Amino acid sequence: MGKAKFIIVLLGPPGVGKGTQGQRWANEKGWRYAATGDLLREAVRQGTPVSLKAKAFMDKGELVADEVVTAIVEEVLQKADRPLLLDGYPRTIAQAEALTEIAKRLGWKIQAAVLLHANDDELVERLSARRVCPSCGTIYNLRYQPPKDNEHCDRCGSPLIQRDDDKHDVIRQRLAVYQAQTQPVIDYYQGLGLLVTVDALGEPDEVYVRLRKVRLSV
Ligand code: AP5
């Protein structure tokens, strides 16, 4: 399975645990993990011209232009040499159709679209208390998964940060954008017979047990 070219799409609203669960799943399976949000934030840190435009949308909780994000994903697919877990893409129907086309052209199979599901109140709670490590990407939560001293990464010692888009108003806007623009993507994968829904409520370990049970038939 090492060099198999298949993609697992990880879908779900902001704060549902895509990064938390996706990184763990990909590590265990030996897949490449790629999150468009992380890739965009990295581009912003590097100050590329396109990313500066993107940052304005991200800070407002709006989606970045389809062609910008799709170009990033196409590059990931060109370089990946093992199965890929894709977190945060596609988020619009145009992106979903683009992924289908690119995957076909580059010889990848979309194996499954796994949807993590939780209610909005839970999502707002999780996002308000999230802290992330800017160096190694480890995700914490001051309420549910706190780092040992509340301020530094347990793994690499870097000072933790709060994402710019984890402010209350922006969180609400991101949830609204998800309903309007990403919900149809769920129907798209349902129509292709690829959708698997996983309940994301409960402890992270409980959610992970459910996720691991997803049958991928690869
Ligand atoms: P992105 O970074 O993808 O953000 P998102 O989808 O809003 O998802 P999050 O990263 O906020 O949440 P998550 O589901 O990964 O949850 P996490 O594991 O961190 O996108 C950011 C922006 O980039 C977008 O708004 C857009 O502007 C742009 N963008 C990205 N992709 C794009 C695309 N394809 N098209 C256009 N624009 C795009 O967990 C959240 C918190 O909860 C953490 O604190 C965690 O510790 C905690 N937690 C996790 N699981 C549990 C649990 N079971 N119980 C309690 N707490 C938990």
Side-chain angles (χ1 to χ4, degrees):
M1 193 167 90
K3 290 201 168 163
K5 288 176 82 171
F6 66 83
I7 302 166
I8 308 293
V9 169
L10 193 55
L11 297 169
V16 76
K18 300 183 298 297
T20 302
Q21 301 294 341
Q23 288 177 17
R24 187 171 172 183
W25 204 21
N27 273 341
E28 187 190 332
K29 295 280 197 181
W31 299 333
R32 163 104 160 82
Y33 167 80
T36 43
D38 291 347
L39 294 169
L40 284 165
R41 282 183 291 276
E42 180 53 32
V44 169
R45 269 192 290 277
Q46 290 178 1
T48 63
V50 155
S51 74
L52 295 180
K53 241 191 212 169
K55 186 177 186 322
F57 288 96
M58 295 166 77
D59 286 350
K60 283 188 290 184
E62 307 281 345
L63 294 184
V64 174
D66 288 333
E67 54 275 21
V68 170
V69 193
T70 295
I72 292 174
V73 170
E74 179 157 1
E75 201 181 328
V76 169
L77 283 172
Q78 273 162 350
K79 289 183 181 161
D81 58 357
R82 53 200 159 116
L84 176 69
L85 185 77
L86 202 47
D87 165 355
Y89 184 97
R91 263 174 147 101
T92 63
I93 287 291
Q95 291 180 18
E97 288 171 347
L99 182 63
T100 299
E101 184 276 316
I102 294 165
K104 198 171 169 198
R105 177 158 45 84
L106 299 179
W108 288 82
K109 179 175 184 215
I110 301 175
Q111 194 70 36
V114 179
L115 170 68
L116 294 177
H117 177 76
N119 58 60
D120 279 11
D121 289 345
E122 174 73 15
L123 301 173
V124 173
E125 285 232 1
R126 288 183 186 181
L127 288 173
S128 314
R130 172 165 60 188
R131 296 293 182 274
V132 290
C133 175
S135 304
C136 71
T138 305
I139 301 165
Y140 297 91
N141 192 285
L142 296 183
R143 289 190 59 183
Y144 303 109
Q145 298 172 295
K148 288 198 184 88
D149 73 355
N150 257 4
E151 287 177 14
H152 296 87
C153 180
D154 292 345
R155 267 201 205 158
C156 71
S158 301
L160 300 177
I161 57 164
Q162 182 170 30
R163 272 172 43 177
D164 289 341
D165 59 353
D166 278 349
K167 296 181 192 108
H168 205 269
D169 289 354
V170 185
I171 291 171
R172 286 284 172 197
Q173 174 62 13
R174 286 160 62 200
L175 292 172
V177 166
Y178 177 81
Q179 278 305 328
Q181 288 177 269
T182 308
Q183 196 65 37
V185 174
I186 296 167
D187 302 335
Y188 176 87
Y189 286 113
Q190 175 110 56
L192 294 177
L194 293 173
L195 189 73
V196 184
T197 301
V198 172
D199 177 6
L201 284 178
E203 294 291 320
D205 283 351
E206 291 168 4
V207 177
Y208 189 62
V209 168
R210 286 177 215 136
L211 191 61
R212 287 180 88 221
K213 285 187 187 153
V214 170
R215 284 177 174 271
L216 295 171
S217 48
V218 288

